[in-house]
Amino acid sequence: MWEIIKTSLPQLLAAGFKYTIPLAIISFFFGLIIALVTALIRLSRQRGAFMILKWIASFYVWLFRSTPLLVQLFIVFFGLPYLRIKGVLPHGIKLEPFTAGIITFSLNTGAYASETIRAAISSVPTGQWEAGAAIGMTRLQILWRIILPQALRVALPPLSNSFISLVKDTSLAASITIMEMFAVSQQIAAENYQPLLMYTLVAMVYAVFTTILSYFQGYLERVVDRQVNANNR
Amino acid sequence: MKLTNINKSFGNKNVLKNTTLEFPAGKTTVMVGPSGSGKSTILRSLNLLVMPESGQYDFDDHHLDFSQKVSNKDKLAIRQETGMVFQDYNLFPNKTVLGNIIEGPTQVLKQAKKEAIANAHNLLAKVGLADYGDAYPNELSGGQAQRVAIARALAMSPKYILLDEPTSALDPELELSVLKVLLQLAEEKQSMVIVTHNMVFAKHVADKIIFVENGEILYDGTPDEFFAPDNPNKRIKNFIASMTMENLK
């Protein structure tokens, strides 16, 4: 048993550092940008043509939260090549597995995180917007310098949870041929006929990754707490 | 600073009805009246945190017609000239006391940080909080927080300071520390508009008193006449008596 662990663990870790971690970090980065933009659109008080944008943002959040991540991955990777439009997309949209993974995970994370960010921004008292406005700050200045730092403290724990979930969810990328950690464990199990050992081993590696991330989450929360000091009077 | 025929409603309730008021420069105008009478709405209209539905607003060279859209440029310019102090302070909890005070000057007026900090130290000394620059708002008492809020408003060198019940969240001892600062500002001829329920303070500090009830101006004149025992307006007499608890006798 130890021999199998000794030979397969480096392969799993290599796949983890080459695919699992980059997939999670890059997707989370883009997911956060999508989430912030979506949350701001949905919170905006603009009317008129802007309502269309609000409707699109709401539809996007609804769509990605109400369908399984695995199905989303399949649509983007296996489905989009069949999205053929004469003259515009004669060959559909063919994506590399890693790119398809990044796009799907980013959109999925963006939908969930946008709700977290929306709630966090809403939790900052209106008085903070007013205090900024009262000294002549623009809405963008107030948002960036006053509201978001306070919202960050509220959003950090749920966002960290989303990131930890995302690390585990990247195992679904195995289904679109990305050779990340879980895919490698499947491959090794098929070769050595030790599925219990291999899947337990890969589970332990995920557990170690997420435990380190949880520890880092706690540290980050303490840092933000110190800096943001958000106990409004 | 003058509001002419302004109207404002929230839902079905007409909070201000054709209100016309003038706020003289270099003077302290005190607005009194029962809760929900429209005092704060008037004050917030002066800072454009509330937009009346109709009427005019003259402030220096700015002439606003509320029945038309007020430009962002006018809005920001007037807000810079009318510092607002809120009942519940609304200090930025993510910034130190110094950070709170220099935020407007550095971000809005584009003042150099060094200059803004020097000015902030002067203002903190003025409000009796010289040693509190590095403190966070949650480390301050209510009276201290409100004095920081006053310093923050003063840092923008506004023409007017608007104070919305600045001491109603404070116990009497802390209230006194804030009132002393306001008295000092009044002596320095800082233009102020104060909404308060404290009749003793109003009598002491006001150059002009406005009494508001149900969105209507029932009195607009000198404090001497307002507080005169022979004020013919029974409603005002009753109001003063209830606010100073004379009816307990």
Side-chain angles (χ1 to χ4, degrees):
Chain A
M1 182 179 84
W2 290 112
E3 197 51 42
I4 295 173
I5 294 175
K6 235 164 88 180
T7 52
S8 51
L9 190 59
Q11 293 179 59
L12 291 179
L13 288 174
F17 287 113
K18 194 174 176 191
Y19 290 110
T20 302
I21 298 292
L23 253 181
I25 291 178
I26 299 170
S27 303
F28 197 69
F29 173 76
F30 287 118
L32 277 186
I33 295 173
I34 295 169
L36 183 62
V37 172
T38 307
L40 291 178
I41 289 173
R42 296 189 72 190
L43 282 169
S44 168
R45 289 177 302 181
Q46 299 275 343
R47 292 282 175 268
F50 198 84
M51 290 305 286
I52 299 171
L53 215 55
K54 284 182 98 161
W55 186 84
I56 293 171
S58 300
F59 177 74
Y60 151 67
V61 173
W62 168 79
L63 188 69
F64 276 83
R65 288 175 73 204
S66 54
T67 53
L69 178 54
L70 185 61
V71 177
Q72 293 163 16
L73 271 172
F74 271 49
I75 290 174
V76 172
F77 185 66
F78 296 115
L80 289 187
Y82 293 91
L83 183 71
R84 291 171 187 153
I85 304 167
K86 261 190 185 168
V88 186
L89 285 170
H91 308 295
I93 302 171
K94 281 182 190 156
L95 297 166
E96 289 296 315
F98 192 77
T99 314
I102 295 283
I103 290 173
T104 314
F105 288 127
S106 301
L107 287 170
N108 187 276
T109 302
Y112 281 97
S114 78
E115 289 297 274
T116 303
I117 292 176
R118 193 164 72 111
I121 291 176
S122 302
S123 76
V124 178
T126 326
Q128 292 292 306
W129 285 96
E130 291 188 340
I135 51 174
M137 293 173 86
T138 61
R139 275 188 79 77
L140 197 65
Q141 279 178 319
I142 302 169
L143 179 75
W144 191 248
R145 298 188 56 84
I146 312 294
I147 305 300
L148 284 182
Q150 293 181 56
L152 177 67
R153 185 181 176 270
V154 179
L156 194 60
L159 286 180
S160 305
N161 281 339
S162 298
F163 181 61
I164 289 169
S165 292
L166 179 62
V167 171
K168 291 180 286 178
D169 286 345
T170 54
S171 59
L172 294 173
S175 60
I176 58 164
T177 75
I178 296 177
M179 288 310 288
E180 49 67 66
M181 248 173 14
F182 182 56
V184 170
S185 73
Q186 279 180 309
Q187 202 177 44
I188 300 172
E191 286 164 7
N192 64 15
Y193 301 105
Q194 294 283 348
L196 179 63
L197 179 63
M198 283 320 300
Y199 296 143
T200 307
L201 186 62
V202 78
M204 293 315 293
V205 177
Y206 277 113
V208 169
F209 278 6
T210 51
T211 305
I212 294 169
L213 288 171
S214 299
Y215 176 80
F216 186 66
Q217 171 190 355
Y219 170 76
L220 209 61
E221 279 172 30
R222 284 193 296 277
V223 170
V224 170
D225 253 358
R226 268 205 302 274
Q227 286 185 351
V228 174
N229 214 334
N231 297 320
N232 201 359
R233 294 191 65 85
Chain B
M1 192 157 77
K2 188 182 179 190
L3 294 169
T4 311
N5 291 325
I6 61 162
N7 289 283
K8 177 70 187 171
S9 33
F10 293 109
N12 292 332
K13 195 179 178 212
N14 294 337
V15 181
L16 299 177
K17 301 158 194 163
N18 277 324
T19 305
T20 296
L21 284 169
E22 207 163 333
F23 302 89
K27 305 275 183 197
T28 301
T29 305
V30 175
M31 278 198 281
V32 296
S35 296
S37 58
K39 311 180 294 289
S40 293
T41 307
I42 295 172
L43 199 75
R44 291 160 74 84
S45 301
L46 293 172
N47 190 259
L48 304 178
L49 285 177
V50 161
M51 284 291 175
E53 282 111 27
S54 62
Q56 281 88 45
Y57 180 19
D58 290 287
F59 187 99
D60 279 354
D61 299 334
H62 301 275
H63 175 79
L64 308 187
D65 183 347
F66 287 121
S67 53
Q68 283 156 22
K69 194 172 168 14
V70 174
S71 75
N72 240 358
K73 199 179 154 201
D74 275 335
K75 217 187 269 182
L76 295 180
I78 286 176
R79 282 176 179 166
Q80 285 173 35
E81 296 289 0
T82 50
M84 184 91 176
V85 176
F86 300 89
Q87 181 181 350
D88 41 10
Y89 336 126
N90 288 345
L91 295 180
F92 306 132
N94 56 319
K95 294 185 185 297
T96 60
V97 163
L98 213 56
N100 264 275
I101 299 174
I102 66 167
E103 185 68 12
T106 53
Q107 299 303 314
V108 179
L109 303 178
K110 306 294 176 200
Q111 224 174 60
K113 200 172 175 184
K114 213 171 157 187
E115 188 189 338
I117 289 175
N119 190 31
H121 280 302
N122 289 338
L123 289 170
L124 280 175
K126 188 172 184 171
V127 298
L129 294 170
D131 300 329
Y132 287 81
D134 295 329
Y136 277 91
N138 68 335
E139 295 164 344
L140 304 176
S141 73
Q144 289 168 337
Q146 195 58 295
R147 282 182 280 155
V148 172
I150 293 170
R152 180 173 69 179
L154 285 170
M156 297 293 289
S157 308
K159 294 211 167 97
Y160 282 79
I161 296 199
L162 316 173
L163 300 108
D164 192 1
E165 300 191 30
T167 60
S168 58
L170 305 176
D171 64 49
E173 205 174 346
L174 297 178
E175 183 176 16
L176 197 65
S177 67
V178 175
L179 297 183
K180 277 181 181 168
V181 171
L182 297 182
L183 277 174
Q184 189 193 337
L185 291 174
E187 277 169 21
E188 292 168 6
K189 302 290 173 203
Q190 165 71 52
S191 313
M192 287 192 285
V193 183
I194 308 174
V195 169
T196 184
H197 287 297
N198 186 330
M199 289 298 125
V200 179
F201 174 64
K203 192 174 178 179
H204 205 75
V205 77
D207 295 306
K208 172 177 171 154
I209 293 259
I210 295 167
F211 181 73
V212 192
E213 187 164 55
N214 294 326
E216 288 175 58
I217 308 302
L218 297 192
Y219 182 88
D220 181 356
T222 65
D224 289 346
E225 271 177 51
F226 184 79
F227 289 104
D230 55 352
N231 189 330
N233 189 322
K234 266 196 168 172
R235 173 64 193 116
I236 291 176
K237 267 181 96 170
N238 277 339
F239 176 78
I240 296 169
S242 66
M243 296 307 281
T244 49
M245 300 199 184
E246 276 176 26
N247 289 346
L248 279 176
K249 286 174 193 166

